[in-house]
Amino acid sequence: MMQLLGNPASPYVRKVRVVLEETGQADEVERIDVATSPIKSAPEVTAAHATKKIPALIRPDGCTLYDSRVITRFLDARAGGTLYRENRVWEVLTLEATGDGILDAAVLMVYESRCRPEDKQDHGWVDAQWGKIDNALSALEARWMSHLSGPLDAGQIAVGCALGYLDFRHPGREWRKGHGALDDWFAVFSQRAAMTATAPTD
Ligand code: BEZ
């Protein structure tokens, strides 16, 4: 059986779990949750992922896969799914990169406060990360709302997990302010069974 190395707080792992749910493969993967951090990796993570990150998908009949985008594409192909439709693949991949870019900035903000002593934290740098997120939210509203409202794909899943992570770790930043269309979209998307089943926990 395949094994997914992960953690219930990780938004990258959540993307994989949402794809497992949406493609009907959740029972085909054993979830192994590990406590890991950028400073101190769990030994299982060090062994499975070259740069010591989660998620990693350990397969009995092939190489271990990472990162989350490789895993989600593999799982969709394995299921004969439609999350990376060929006729829109460049749009899907760009939307997915936008969701992941929001996540990268949001996670770096968390690490800055969690992994560095208070007097070494750079608040200007943290605010600049939020500036990237705010710009991405505006870009989504300006250019992607029609795509977001179309048939389910991996780009939508990445954006949904990114917005869920902003609620989880950065509620004080109030991302909904000035982004009403995304707020409306996420109010519906976040009610999907795959999203409620994978809500992040510490
Ligand atoms: C978090 O606790 O926010 C987190 C955990 C794993 C990966 C990224 C973020």
Side-chain angles (χ1 to χ4, degrees):
M1 193 180 207
M2 295 185 288
Q3 296 177 315
L4 178 66
L5 275 186
N7 178 294
S10 165
Y12 304 100
V13 175
R14 186 181 191 190
K15 290 195 315 167
V16 172
R17 291 179 57 206
V18 169
V19 168
L20 284 170
E21 297 283 342
E22 294 285 2
T23 58
Q25 300 179 90
D27 292 343
E28 295 179 52
V29 174
E30 179 190 3
R31 281 177 47 212
I32 302 185
D33 287 338
V34 290
T36 193
S37 87
I39 309 281
K40 193 172 185 313
S41 292
E44 303 94 313
V45 175
T46 302
H49 191 303
T51 56
K52 307 185 183 182
K53 292 179 181 175
I54 50 173
L57 185 71
I58 301 169
R59 299 181 300 157
D61 55 354
C63 74
T64 294
L65 299 182
Y66 52 82
D67 56 9
S68 62
R69 281 189 246 185
V70 174
I71 298 173
T72 53
R73 199 157 177 180
F74 164 77
L75 289 172
D76 184 59
R78 182 178 186 269
T82 55
L83 296 178
Y84 293 90
R85 263 185 208 85
E86 201 49 50
N87 64 342
R88 300 216 67 187
V89 73
W90 302 115
E91 286 84 356
V92 173
L93 292 175
T94 302
L95 185 60
E96 185 179 44
T98 307
D100 282 5
I102 292 172
L103 278 181
D104 293 344
V107 167
L108 286 176
M109 290 169 71
V110 169
Y111 288 164
E112 182 75 1
S113 60
R114 192 185 285 172
C115 301
R116 288 166 76 96
E118 170 66 36
D119 63 326
K120 297 252 171 26
Q121 290 174 28
D122 183 339
H123 298 289
W125 183 87
V126 169
D127 286 345
Q129 296 305 315
W130 184 259
K132 292 180 189 221
I133 293 170
D134 193 49
N135 195 61
L137 296 177
S138 297
L140 289 172
E141 290 223 314
R143 298 197 279 281
W144 290 96
M145 293 317 300
S146 156
H147 185 122
L148 282 169
S149 301
L152 180 70
D153 64 31
Q156 294 175 14
I157 291 171
V159 172
C161 290
L163 298 179
Y165 189 72
L166 298 184
D167 280 343
F168 182 51
R169 290 295 187 216
H170 301 295
R173 296 273 182 174
E174 300 185 332
W175 68 264
R176 289 174 174 79
K177 274 197 183 156
H179 301 114
L182 265 185
D183 181 9
D184 290 346
W185 174 79
F186 187 60
V188 176
F189 191 84
S190 61
Q191 292 310 307
R192 296 182 75 88
M195 289 295 285
T196 57
T198 59
T201 55
D202 273 312

PDB file of all heavy atoms in Angstrom, residues 92-106:
ATOM      1  N   VAL A  92      -4.454  25.591 -15.638  1.00  0.00           N
ATOM      2  CA  VAL A  92      -4.553  24.851 -14.362  1.00  0.00           C
ATOM      3  C   VAL A  92      -3.231  24.936 -13.600  1.00  0.00           C
ATOM      4  O   VAL A  92      -3.205  25.207 -12.390  1.00  0.00           O
ATOM      5  CB  VAL A  92      -4.932  23.373 -14.616  1.00  0.00           C
ATOM      6  CG1 VAL A  92      -4.856  22.564 -13.315  1.00  0.00           C
ATOM      7  CG2 VAL A  92      -6.323  23.269 -15.219  1.00  0.00           C
ATOM      8  N   LEU A  93      -2.118  24.735 -14.326  1.00  0.00           N
ATOM      9  CA  LEU A  93      -0.813  24.747 -13.653  1.00  0.00           C
ATOM     10  C   LEU A  93      -0.474  26.142 -13.122  1.00  0.00           C
ATOM     11  O   LEU A  93       0.138  26.285 -12.062  1.00  0.00           O
ATOM     12  CB  LEU A  93       0.282  24.257 -14.600  1.00  0.00           C
ATOM     13  CG  LEU A  93       0.198  22.768 -14.980  1.00  0.00           C
ATOM     14  CD1 LEU A  93       1.261  22.429 -16.024  1.00  0.00           C
ATOM     15  CD2 LEU A  93       0.361  21.866 -13.751  1.00  0.00           C
ATOM     16  N   THR A  94      -0.878  27.177 -13.863  1.00  0.00           N
ATOM     17  CA  THR A  94      -0.595  28.543 -13.401  1.00  0.00           C
ATOM     18  C   THR A  94      -1.453  28.893 -12.184  1.00  0.00           C
ATOM     19  O   THR A  94      -0.966  29.503 -11.214  1.00  0.00           O
ATOM     20  CB  THR A  94      -0.823  29.547 -14.548  1.00  0.00           C
ATOM     21  OG1 THR A  94       0.029  29.190 -15.641  1.00  0.00           O
ATOM     22  CG2 THR A  94      -0.506  30.970 -14.111  1.00  0.00           C
ATOM     23  N   LEU A  95      -2.706  28.477 -12.212  1.00  0.00           N
ATOM     24  CA  LEU A  95      -3.556  28.712 -11.040  1.00  0.00           C
ATOM     25  C   LEU A  95      -3.025  27.936  -9.835  1.00  0.00           C
ATOM     26  O   LEU A  95      -2.975  28.454  -8.712  1.00  0.00           O
ATOM     27  CB  LEU A  95      -5.006  28.306 -11.345  1.00  0.00           C
ATOM     28  CG  LEU A  95      -6.023  28.611 -10.251  1.00  0.00           C
ATOM     29  CD1 LEU A  95      -6.084  30.105  -9.953  1.00  0.00           C
ATOM     30  CD2 LEU A  95      -7.412  28.088 -10.649  1.00  0.00           C
ATOM     31  N   GLU A  96      -2.578  26.711 -10.084  1.00  0.00           N
ATOM     32  CA  GLU A  96      -1.999  25.902  -9.005  1.00  0.00           C
ATOM     33  C   GLU A  96      -0.748  26.587  -8.444  1.00  0.00           C
ATOM     34  O   GLU A  96      -0.547  26.651  -7.219  1.00  0.00           O
ATOM     35  CB  GLU A  96      -1.648  24.516  -9.566  1.00  0.00           C
ATOM     36  CG  GLU A  96      -1.145  23.525  -8.534  1.00  0.00           C
ATOM     37  CD  GLU A  96      -0.836  22.180  -9.169  1.00  0.00           C
ATOM     38  OE1 GLU A  96      -0.211  22.134 -10.253  1.00  0.00           O
ATOM     39  OE2 GLU A  96      -1.209  21.148  -8.586  1.00  0.00           O
ATOM     40  N   ALA A  97       0.081  27.130  -9.325  1.00  0.00           N
ATOM     41  CA  ALA A  97       1.288  27.837  -8.869  1.00  0.00           C
ATOM     42  C   ALA A  97       0.922  29.076  -8.062  1.00  0.00           C
ATOM     43  O   ALA A  97       1.647  29.462  -7.128  1.00  0.00           O
ATOM     44  CB  ALA A  97       2.159  28.213 -10.068  1.00  0.00           C
ATOM     45  N   THR A  98      -0.190  29.704  -8.411  1.00  0.00           N
ATOM     46  CA  THR A  98      -0.623  30.887  -7.651  1.00  0.00           C
ATOM     47  C   THR A  98      -1.050  30.478  -6.243  1.00  0.00           C
ATOM     48  O   THR A  98      -0.667  31.121  -5.249  1.00  0.00           O
ATOM     49  CB  THR A  98      -1.784  31.594  -8.394  1.00  0.00           C
ATOM     50  OG1 THR A  98      -1.377  31.860  -9.738  1.00  0.00           O
ATOM     51  CG2 THR A  98      -2.157  32.894  -7.706  1.00  0.00           C
ATOM     52  N   GLY A  99      -1.828  29.412  -6.140  1.00  0.00           N
ATOM     53  CA  GLY A  99      -2.222  28.921  -4.812  1.00  0.00           C
ATOM     54  C   GLY A  99      -1.005  28.510  -3.995  1.00  0.00           C
ATOM     55  O   GLY A  99      -0.877  28.863  -2.812  1.00  0.00           O
ATOM     56  N   ASP A 100      -0.080  27.802  -4.633  1.00  0.00           N
ATOM     57  CA  ASP A 100       1.128  27.368  -3.919  1.00  0.00           C
ATOM     58  C   ASP A 100       2.011  28.556  -3.544  1.00  0.00           C
ATOM     59  O   ASP A 100       2.679  28.541  -2.502  1.00  0.00           O
ATOM     60  CB  ASP A 100       1.923  26.383  -4.772  1.00  0.00           C
ATOM     61  CG  ASP A 100       1.328  24.986  -4.748  1.00  0.00           C
ATOM     62  OD1 ASP A 100       0.245  24.799  -4.157  1.00  0.00           O
ATOM     63  OD2 ASP A 100       1.942  24.069  -5.318  1.00  0.00           O
ATOM     64  N   GLY A 101       2.030  29.587  -4.391  1.00  0.00           N
ATOM     65  CA  GLY A 101       2.815  30.787  -4.070  1.00  0.00           C
ATOM     66  C   GLY A 101       2.260  31.494  -2.845  1.00  0.00           C
ATOM     67  O   GLY A 101       3.022  31.996  -1.998  1.00  0.00           O
ATOM     68  N   ILE A 102       0.939  31.543  -2.741  1.00  0.00           N
ATOM     69  CA  ILE A 102       0.321  32.105  -1.535  1.00  0.00           C
ATOM     70  C   ILE A 102       0.748  31.276  -0.322  1.00  0.00           C
ATOM     71  O   ILE A 102       1.140  31.814   0.727  1.00  0.00           O
ATOM     72  CB  ILE A 102      -1.217  32.126  -1.674  1.00  0.00           C
ATOM     73  CG1 ILE A 102      -1.636  33.128  -2.758  1.00  0.00           C
ATOM     74  CG2 ILE A 102      -1.891  32.440  -0.336  1.00  0.00           C
ATOM     75  CD1 ILE A 102      -3.120  33.083  -3.114  1.00  0.00           C
ATOM     76  N   LEU A 103       0.701  29.963  -0.494  1.00  0.00           N
ATOM     77  CA  LEU A 103       1.091  29.091   0.616  1.00  0.00           C
ATOM     78  C   LEU A 103       2.547  29.288   1.014  1.00  0.00           C
ATOM     79  O   LEU A 103       2.876  29.342   2.205  1.00  0.00           O
ATOM     80  CB  LEU A 103       0.886  27.623   0.224  1.00  0.00           C
ATOM     81  CG  LEU A 103      -0.521  27.092   0.369  1.00  0.00           C
ATOM     82  CD1 LEU A 103      -0.576  25.635  -0.037  1.00  0.00           C
ATOM     83  CD2 LEU A 103      -1.006  27.275   1.801  1.00  0.00           C
ATOM     84  N   ASP A 104       3.429  29.376   0.026  1.00  0.00           N
ATOM     85  CA  ASP A 104       4.859  29.528   0.338  1.00  0.00           C
ATOM     86  C   ASP A 104       5.082  30.770   1.201  1.00  0.00           C
ATOM     87  O   ASP A 104       5.801  30.719   2.212  1.00  0.00           O
ATOM     88  CB  ASP A 104       5.686  29.643  -0.945  1.00  0.00           C
ATOM     89  CG  ASP A 104       5.680  28.359  -1.771  1.00  0.00           C
ATOM     90  OD1 ASP A 104       5.314  27.305  -1.236  1.00  0.00           O
ATOM     91  OD2 ASP A 104       6.031  28.431  -2.973  1.00  0.00           O
ATOM     92  N   ALA A 105       4.455  31.882   0.803  1.00  0.00           N
ATOM     93  CA  ALA A 105       4.632  33.122   1.575  1.00  0.00           C
ATOM     94  C   ALA A 105       4.004  32.988   2.964  1.00  0.00           C
ATOM     95  O   ALA A 105       4.593  33.413   3.969  1.00  0.00           O
ATOM     96  CB  ALA A 105       4.020  34.295   0.806  1.00  0.00           C
ATOM     97  N   ALA A 106       2.821  32.382   3.020  1.00  0.00           N
ATOM     98  CA  ALA A 106       2.114  32.253   4.311  1.00  0.00           C
ATOM     99  C   ALA A 106       2.873  31.346   5.269  1.00  0.00           C
ATOM    100  O   ALA A 106       2.931  31.605   6.478  1.00  0.00           O
ATOM    101  CB  ALA A 106       0.701  31.723   4.076  1.00  0.00           C
TER     102      ALA A 106
END
